[in-house]
Amino acid sequence: QVQLVESGGGLVQAGGSLRLSCAASKSIFSFYNMGWYRQAPGKQRELVAAITSRTTNYADSVKGRCTIARDSAKNTMYLQMNSLKPEDTAVYYCNATEDVLGLMSSWGQGTQVTVSS
């Protein structure tokens, strides 16, 4: 498995921005897919955004407010989040998969994002 370390979370006012980072222990070219998930207290973990070599996709709840990107030189994936809302409050997790089906999947430990009103 791959080691993934998230950073960049914190406390931000509604309407503010954060950039989350996910540092991987191996080249991001090793991965078919990388993505960000989030889990709020009492809620199921949900996909926020995902990226492959050719595509990106976003949850409807963040579409237009978030941008996912990869930096191969730094083995790092980013999630830029703008116009944050209190409902964005959650622990955000980095995920990387090494196959199309997602059977070889690794997770980070998460970074807390708290958006105040």
Side-chain angles (χ1 to χ4, degrees):
Q1 286 196 317
V2 178
Q3 182 178 1
L4 303 171
V5 181
E6 302 97 334
S7 62
L11 176 64
V12 65
Q13 299 291 326
S17 299
L18 286 172
R19 185 189 297 271
L20 306 184
S21 298
C22 172
S25 62
K26 63 189 297 185
S27 172
I28 62 173
F29 294 126
S30 301
F31 308 127
Y32 173 78
N33 182 77
M34 300 185 74
W36 289 95
Y37 292 73
R38 67 186 181 188
Q39 187 167 24
K43 304 287 187 179
Q44 295 289 324
R45 187 172 297 187
E46 64 177 351
L47 176 68
V48 179
I51 186 168
T52 70
S53 62
R54 299 192 303 170
T55 64
T56 59
N57 69 282
Y58 300 90
D60 288 342
S61 59
V62 304
K63 193 171 298 182
R65 301 188 295 119
C66 294
T67 302
I68 190 170
R70 305 187 303 184
D71 186 338
S72 60
K74 297 182 178 180
N75 290 348
T76 301
M77 176 182 65
Y78 302 95
L79 182 68
Q80 177 69 43
M81 301 190 294
N82 302 319
S83 301
L84 285 164
K85 305 174 181 179
E87 51 262 45
D88 294 319
T89 296
V91 178
Y92 284 70
Y93 297 91
C94 177
N95 172 264
T97 62
E98 300 179 71
D99 62 301
V100 173
L101 296 179
L103 298 178
M104 299 177 63
S105 183
S106 300
W107 293 89
Q109 292 185 334
T111 184
Q112 176 72 47
V113 171
T114 303
V115 184
S116 64
S117 59

